[in-house]
Amino acid sequence: MGDELGRAADVDRVLIDEKIIEKRLDAMAAEIDREFPAGSIVAIVLLKGAFVFAADLLRRIPRPLEIECLNVSSYHGGTESSGVVKFLDHSLPDVQDRHVLLLDDILDTGRTLKAVRDRLLLEGCAAVHTGVLLAKDRPREEEVQADYVGFEIGDEFVVGYGLDYKGRYRNLPFVGVLKP
Ligand code: IMP
Ligand code: MG
């Protein structure tokens, strides 16, 4: 209990609690398994934000699966997108002719998903299917949508379950809003 309060002391309110996330992930995983073409999937996890979501989602998908991670950055620590998506890895996974499930923590302006999706298509993958834990209710600056969305949320800055503010709060087991 002390631990929970200690980790969550800066949190103003819980937006989506752990139980609700878990239930939603059961449904998302079933949907993905149903809709994905037969065969193996390459999941590409955008670091760092999507690692918690991806770990919990991918363990629920009962079929052959390869997991790759890509380190991209657009926020550089604050609460406003910098507008530039940086690829921080030296090389990309081999996705030639593969069906990719691209996972990110949250769809905000859409720049990250679009930049990575376009890049993977350039690399010759067969198709990019996109999944996010959260999608913010705001106009996208890039034409991109997620095929699989955990929760639609309002246009506010959230932390927890992988999402950070200045590198912190990723280990909160829920999605919440910080105190002002
Ligand atoms: P986009 O490129 O603007 O769609 O933003 C996506 C990236 O910005 C995500 O991968 C997150 O890392 C970060 N981001 C966007 N909104 C939030 C938020 O509310 N909290 C924490 N990170 C966020
Ligand atoms: Mg981030």
Side-chain angles (χ1 to χ4, degrees):
M1 187 65 191
D3 175 49
E4 181 74 2
L5 283 175
R7 283 193 293 177
D10 304 333
V11 172
D12 187 48
R13 69 202 142 84
V14 174
L15 209 57
I16 312 168
D17 77 30
E18 202 175 354
K19 286 267 166 338
I20 293 177
I21 296 173
E22 283 172 359
K23 240 183 121 187
R24 181 71 188 115
L25 295 189
D26 286 340
M28 276 177 96
E31 201 186 334
I32 290 167
D33 192 39
R34 208 166 46 234
E35 292 179 0
F36 244 75
S40 76
I41 301 175
V42 189
I44 297 197
V45 182
L46 296 186
L47 297 179
K48 304 173 196 139
F51 84 100
V52 177
F53 164 53
D56 285 348
L57 178 73
L58 296 174
R59 280 181 296 171
R60 287 170 159 83
I61 301 178
R63 67 150 98 188
L65 197 69
E66 285 156 57
I67 302 177
E68 299 281 354
C69 295
L70 266 188
N71 215 336
V72 296
S73 157
S74 66
Y75 265 46
H76 315 302
T79 60
E80 290 291 332
S81 173
S82 70
V84 184
V85 179
K86 277 210 269 182
F87 287 77
L88 306 174
D89 300 287
H90 294 297
S91 64
L92 292 178
D94 180 11
V95 290
Q96 186 82 41
D97 301 325
R98 303 294 303 274
H99 277 265
V100 171
L101 174 63
L102 174 61
L103 297 177
D104 202 4
D105 51 0
I106 188 166
L107 180 59
D108 185 13
T109 65
R111 287 191 202 106
T112 305
L113 267 194
K114 179 166 194 308
V116 178
R117 185 195 62 189
D118 289 356
R119 186 67 191 274
L120 293 171
L121 288 170
L122 264 182
E123 297 287 315
C125 72
V128 181
H129 312 255
T130 49
V132 292
L133 176 70
L134 307 169
K136 273 191 198 176
D137 180 16
R138 56 156 288 165
R140 306 280 175 245
E141 276 158 43
E142 295 289 350
E143 215 163 293
V144 68
Q145 53 166 23
D147 301 312
Y148 305 98
V149 175
F151 303 91
E152 308 264 356
I153 63 168
D155 187 9
E156 60 187 338
F157 193 81
V158 295
V159 296
Y161 205 76
L163 292 108
D164 74 304
Y165 172 65
K166 297 194 173 173
R168 293 179 59 197
Y169 311 109
R170 294 193 199 276
N171 60 327
L172 295 176
F174 53 81
V175 173
V177 179
L178 289 176
K179 289 175 184 159

